[in-house]
């Protein structure tokens, strides 16, 4: 073998040795797919898949334990132990890194916590007729502040107690319960419904407009005057023996009028829901047990070839208005929820062992059908009996209604916070909330009848128990999200704090912000009102360093937007 061949052989051996050395060196893992501890949030959307255990390490840097020893001089350490000889990361690199971070954010509490605010007969607000504008506003603010302070998140406000209005209506007169005279506007002028909406939303509370579709005049509503609908629509309204007046649900003019009233409210006001209560055809006691006086419309139906029984015909009249109202709301503003709070029992014997008034037979309200058909977004049966009531067992009734909830709508029972027949009312109400959470876990929530029952003892037990923490309203998953973009998060470094600011191009549909802060391995979550867009955060807390901040928007249907994230250096 000559010298040239020796040289070639040596060179080949050297190259093979270098290649072998390269292929056997340990490789360090990049931090492009960092994660952090936390419960996965099903609302968190990402453009890339998040890696799942066991590959994902729970340490901050997502570095395998087997790699750490070999890479400790090449990997920067988080916190105060960062090597001084490591070059600082450029702002551009940091922003790019933040874009790639996929985070499993903590879950957020969700529960509907509402109070009915009754205006009829001045039950809740205003406390009496004829208060000044400023007195009315002060009472409203006191109610809303108290609800917010005790971690409620919705009010069901009675804006139309009996064919009258606590708002500026083109169809019906101003309510006697507001000013003391049917048809008289507040002075100085203001629109109470508009005021309630604005003040509720400032506090992060939803506002649902509650109205009775058919009651035309309440027996507590004073004398019928020329402004009353009793005189303006006399052909569609009948008088009951207890002094009330009632629209005939069979009349086309009645149905069109109800539709006009609801559509007007939905169009002109920034509301979160429309709410009907349990009054359809009136309770028999309102007419001293006599049949509802609708012989004219019944005879007309028969003359025109109608073949339903009288009871089925009446139920069909109500069914038609429920379906119509739901469809008209969705056509105008699909995000406005439609809810009904029917009497708690559909029929005696449903479920087995339950007995009591049958709304199906007395009120001609086939509430089970509406739930089965999905003609509502939320359903609030008035389960006003104690947990241990022998003939109206709370848990049995709630479970039965849930078994009929074929479209998986929100099922939020109404609780009789005022008059529940129990020796210890607060303890009984807390028990009912806990049962509801257990039986309807995917969409927990209740409505309290009424604000009058929320005295200091009741509120103390709620706030120290089930309402200890804030909660978002459950997501209305069958209605599409209202926010498509993600908010923009910016940080301003201060000496011991970080000033955080965030924004969204269109903030009209923001109901809340979710601000997540990570100190070490511990996440903190804040539910913030829509007008809060700035916070000052401590850099250190309980010996832990603030290292990550995340912001999300929540729309008025409960959907969470994509998030923006910033690493705190």
């Amino acid at each position: 073998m000559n010298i040239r061949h020796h040289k070639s052989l040596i060179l080949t051996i050297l190259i093979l040795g270098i290649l072998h050395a390269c292929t056997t060196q340990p490789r360090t893992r990049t931090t492009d797919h960092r994660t952090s501890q936390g419960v996965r949030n099903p609302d968190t959307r990402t453009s890339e898949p998040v890696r799942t255990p066991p590959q994902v390490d729970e340490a901050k840097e997502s570095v395998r334990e087997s790699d750490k020893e070999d890479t400790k001089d090449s990997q920067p350490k988080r916190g105060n132990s960062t090597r001084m000889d490591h070059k600082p990361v450029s702002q551009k690199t940091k922003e790019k890194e933040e874009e790639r971070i996929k985070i499993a954010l903590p879950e957020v509490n969700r529960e509907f916590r509402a109070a009915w605010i009754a205006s009829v007969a001045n039950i809740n607000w205003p406390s009496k007729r004829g208060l000044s504008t400023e007195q009315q506003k002060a009472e409203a603010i006191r109610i809303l502040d108290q609800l917010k302070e005790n971690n409620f998140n919705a009010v069901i406000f009675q804006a139309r107690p009996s064919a009258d209005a606590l708002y500026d209506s083109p169809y019906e007169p101003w309510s006697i319960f507001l000013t003391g005279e049917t048809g008289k506007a507040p002075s100085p002028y203001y629109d109470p419904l508009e005021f309630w909406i604005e003040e509720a939303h400032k506090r992060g509370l939803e506002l649902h407009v509650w109205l009775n579709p058919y009651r035309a005049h309440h027996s507590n509503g004073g004398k019928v005057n020329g402004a009353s609908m009793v005189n303006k629509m006399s052909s569609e309204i009948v008088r009951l023996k207890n002094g009330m007046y009632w629209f005939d649900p069979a009349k086309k003019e009645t149905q069109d009028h109800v539709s006009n009233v609801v559509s007007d409210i939905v169009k002109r006001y920034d509301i979160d829901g429309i709410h009907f209560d349990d009054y359809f055809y009136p309770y028999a006691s309102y007419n001293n047990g006599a049949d509802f006086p609708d012989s004219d419309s019944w005879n007309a139906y028969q003359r025109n070839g109608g073949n339903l029984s009288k009871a089925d015909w009446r139920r069909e009249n109500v069914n038609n208005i429920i379906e119509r109202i739901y469809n008209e709301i969705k056509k105008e503003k699909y995000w406005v929820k439609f809810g009904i709070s029917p009497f708690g029992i559909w029929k005696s014997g449903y479920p087995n062992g339950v007995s009591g008034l049958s709304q199906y037979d007395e009120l001609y309200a086939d509430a089970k059908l509406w739930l089965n058909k999905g003609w509502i977004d939320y359903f609030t049966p008035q389960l006003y009996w104690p947990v241990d009531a022998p003939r109206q067992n709370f848990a049995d009734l709630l479970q039965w209604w849930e078994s009929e909830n074929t479209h998986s709508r929100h099922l939020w029972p109404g609780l009789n916070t005022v008059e529940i027949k129990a020796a210890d009312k607060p303890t009984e109400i807390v028990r009912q909330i806990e049962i509801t959470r257990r039986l309807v876990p995917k969409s927990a929530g209740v409505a309290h009848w009424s604000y009058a029952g929320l005295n200091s003892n009741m509120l103390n037990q709620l706030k120290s128990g089930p309402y200890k923490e804030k909660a978002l309203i459950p997501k209305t998953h069958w209605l599409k999200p209202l926010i498509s973009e993600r908010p923009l998060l910016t940080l301003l470094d201060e000496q011991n704090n970080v000033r955080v600011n965030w924004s969204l191009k269109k903030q009209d549909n923001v109901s809340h912000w979710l601000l997540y802060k990570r100190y070490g391995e511990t996440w903190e979550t804040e539910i913030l009102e829509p007008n809060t867009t700035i916070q000052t955060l401590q850099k250190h807390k309980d010996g832990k360093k603030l290292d990550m901040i995340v912001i999300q928007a929540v729309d008025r249907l409960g959907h969470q937007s994509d998030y923006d994230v910033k690493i705190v250096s």
Side-chain angles (χ1 to χ4, degrees):
M1 185 178 292
N2 59 32
I3 292 174
R4 181 182 295 177
H5 287 159
H6 276 292
K7 286 181 178 179
S8 297
L9 181 60
I10 291 168
L11 184 59
T12 300
I13 292 169
L14 284 172
I15 291 170
L16 289 172
I18 291 169
L19 289 172
H20 177 72
C22 289
T23 58
T24 56
Q25 285 294 315
R27 290 177 295 173
T28 58
R29 181 181 291 187
T30 67
T31 59
D32 285 358
H33 295 283
R34 295 191 206 183
T35 186
S36 65
Q37 287 182 324
V39 181
R40 180 166 303 284
N41 186 336
D43 287 333
T44 302
R45 297 189 296 275
T46 61
S47 57
E48 298 173 20
V50 179
R51 294 192 308 181
T52 55
Q55 285 91 359
V56 174
D57 187 276
E58 292 185 348
K60 294 180 190 174
E61 293 296 331
S62 300
V63 179
R64 293 179 300 184
E65 288 293 328
S66 60
D67 291 339
K68 285 183 179 178
E69 289 301 315
D70 293 318
T71 61
K72 61 184 179 184
D73 289 333
S74 61
Q75 290 285 340
K77 295 180 181 177
R78 305 278 297 275
N80 295 328
S81 59
T82 303
R83 289 173 57 91
M84 296 303 294
D85 60 346
H86 181 73
K87 290 183 180 179
V89 179
S90 71
Q91 184 62 27
K92 185 178 270 189
T93 304
K94 190 174 174 184
E95 287 173 1
K96 230 175 166 185
E97 183 183 61
E98 287 163 352
E99 272 182 21
R100 292 193 297 264
I101 293 175
K102 308 304 172 192
I103 308 164
L105 294 170
E107 286 187 9
V108 182
N109 290 333
R110 286 183 179 269
E111 184 172 49
F112 187 70
R113 301 169 181 173
W116 274 291
I117 310 295
S119 58
V120 66
N122 300 100
I123 292 173
N124 298 141
W125 183 90
S127 61
K128 60 183 179 180
R129 305 169 193 183
L131 292 179
S132 70
T133 293
E134 289 309 310
Q135 288 172 321
Q136 290 175 7
K137 287 182 175 181
E139 284 190 352
I141 287 172
R142 180 177 59 81
I143 291 170
L144 292 168
D145 281 346
Q146 191 171 46
L147 293 174
K148 180 196 171 185
E149 181 184 337
N150 288 279
N151 292 333
F152 282 70
N153 52 28
V155 291
I156 303 172
F157 174 70
Q158 191 174 34
R160 182 195 186 243
S162 47
D164 54 358
L166 279 81
Y167 63 99
D168 199 343
S169 171
Y171 296 104
E172 295 180 326
W174 287 98
S175 176
I176 188 173
F177 304 119
L178 187 68
T179 61
E181 180 183 337
T182 301
K184 182 181 178 182
S187 181
Y189 173 83
Y190 83 116
D191 187 318
L193 176 56
E194 189 174 89
F195 180 80
W196 271 86
I197 293 166
E198 290 176 359
E199 295 299 323
H201 287 172
K202 281 181 191 176
R203 292 160 177 78
L205 301 168
E206 284 195 353
L207 189 132
H208 297 231
V209 171
W210 161 25
L211 60 154
N212 303 118
Y214 300 127
R215 188 168 60 201
H217 183 81
H218 195 275
S219 54
N220 195 266
K223 291 183 178 179
V224 173
N225 67 12
S228 172
M229 298 308 295
V230 172
N231 287 320
K232 292 185 175 182
M233 294 186 68
S234 57
S235 298
E236 287 73 48
I237 293 172
V238 299
R239 189 180 190 278
L240 304 179
K241 292 182 179 180
N242 72 342
M244 287 192 187
Y245 289 82
W246 218 263
F247 282 98
D248 182 350
K251 295 288 183 74
K252 181 183 183 301
E253 293 80 4
T254 292
Q255 296 169 16
D256 290 344
H257 181 71
V258 172
S259 169
N260 288 337
V261 167
V262 173
S263 295
D264 173 59
I265 294 171
V266 173
K267 285 177 185 176
R268 293 196 295 123
Y269 293 92
D270 186 25
I271 63 172
D272 300 288
I274 289 287
H275 184 94
F276 285 0
D277 58 19
D278 56 315
Y279 294 105
F280 296 98
Y281 280 82
Y283 286 88
S285 60
Y286 291 5
N287 205 35
N288 293 349
D291 194 29
F292 183 71
D294 58 356
S295 56
D296 288 348
S297 51
W298 167 242
N299 291 335
Y301 169 74
Q302 288 186 309
R303 283 195 305 271
N304 291 326
N307 55 15
L308 292 175
S309 69
K310 195 172 191 179
D312 285 341
W313 166 74
R314 284 175 174 170
R315 279 186 285 270
E316 189 65 12
N317 294 329
V318 179
N319 293 341
N320 289 339
I321 198 67
I322 298 300
E323 183 181 18
R324 175 176 175 176
I325 293 299
Y326 182 75
N327 289 332
E328 288 177 349
I329 290 171
K330 296 309 170 196
K331 186 176 180 181
E332 183 63 35
K333 291 179 182 175
Y334 76 87
W335 60 88
V336 172
K337 296 186 279 285
F338 182 38
I340 300 178
S341 55
F343 185 73
I345 299 170
W346 179 60
K347 285 183 183 181
S348 283
Y350 294 85
N352 190 34
V354 164
S355 63
L357 181 144
S358 168
Q359 64 178 296
Y360 182 86
D361 297 302
E362 184 168 320
L363 308 180
Y364 303 98
D366 192 355
K368 183 176 85 73
L369 177 73
W370 314 334
L371 186 60
N372 294 160
K373 292 286 189 181
W375 291 342
I376 42 85
D377 295 302
Y378 68 95
F379 200 68
T380 307
Q382 297 175 14
L383 303 186
Y384 288 175
W385 305 279
V387 169
D388 299 321
R391 295 186 302 160
Q392 298 91 20
N393 183 277
F394 179 89
D396 289 350
L397 280 164
L398 181 58
Q399 208 158 15
W400 183 82
W401 282 115
E402 175 63 2
S403 73
E404 295 293 335
N405 189 11
T406 53
H407 287 262
S408 298
R409 299 306 197 228
H410 298 306
L411 179 59
W412 299 323
L415 311 184
N416 191 356
T417 306
V418 174
E419 297 177 338
I420 188 74
K421 292 180 180 178
D424 186 344
K425 291 180 183 178
T427 299
E428 176 68 25
I429 293 300
V430 169
R431 284 178 71 196
Q432 294 186 354
I433 292 170
E434 290 170 347
I435 288 171
T436 302
R437 287 175 171 179
R438 189 178 75 246
L439 295 181
V440 196
K442 292 182 181 178
S443 180
V446 302
H448 295 265
W449 168 257
S450 68
Y451 176 74
L454 299 174
N455 55 36
S456 58
N457 189 21
M458 182 70 73
L459 288 173
N460 286 340
Q461 289 212 38
L462 290 173
K463 181 76 178 287
S464 62
Y467 294 175
K468 188 174 183 179
E469 305 292 338
K470 282 185 175 182
L472 291 176
I473 289 173
K475 182 171 65 174
T476 306
H477 58 83
W478 55 93
L479 300 178
K480 66 182 180 181
L482 290 153
I483 298 173
S484 56
E485 71 270 26
R486 70 177 181 181
L488 176 65
L489 180 64
T490 57
L491 307 184
L492 178 63
D493 188 82
E494 297 177 346
Q495 188 172 2
N496 297 312
N497 302 310
V498 177
R499 186 177 292 272
V500 187
N501 195 4
W502 58 89
S503 61
L504 198 64
K505 289 179 183 177
K506 293 180 68 176
Q507 294 191 188
D508 293 349
N509 289 314
V510 175
S511 68
H512 291 90
W513 301 103
L514 291 176
L515 180 64
Y516 305 88
K517 301 156 282 183
R518 194 176 72 174
Y519 286 89
E521 294 300 320
T522 304
W523 282 102
E524 295 180 5
T525 306
E526 276 193 84
I527 300 172
L528 301 171
E529 284 73 46
N531 56 355
T532 301
T533 57
I534 189 167
Q535 285 271 16
T536 299
L537 308 179
Q538 296 176 324
K539 285 186 178 179
H540 294 87
K541 187 185 288 188
D542 300 326
K544 297 177 181 178
K545 181 180 178 296
L546 175 66
D547 62 13
M548 189 177 290
I549 302 170
V550 182
I551 192 72
Q552 272 186 316
V554 182
D555 72 15
R556 57 201 309 160
L557 293 171
H559 298 283
Q560 291 168 235
S561 72
D562 198 357
Y563 58 81
D564 196 12
V565 56
K566 290 286 183 284
I567 296 170
V568 181
S569 57

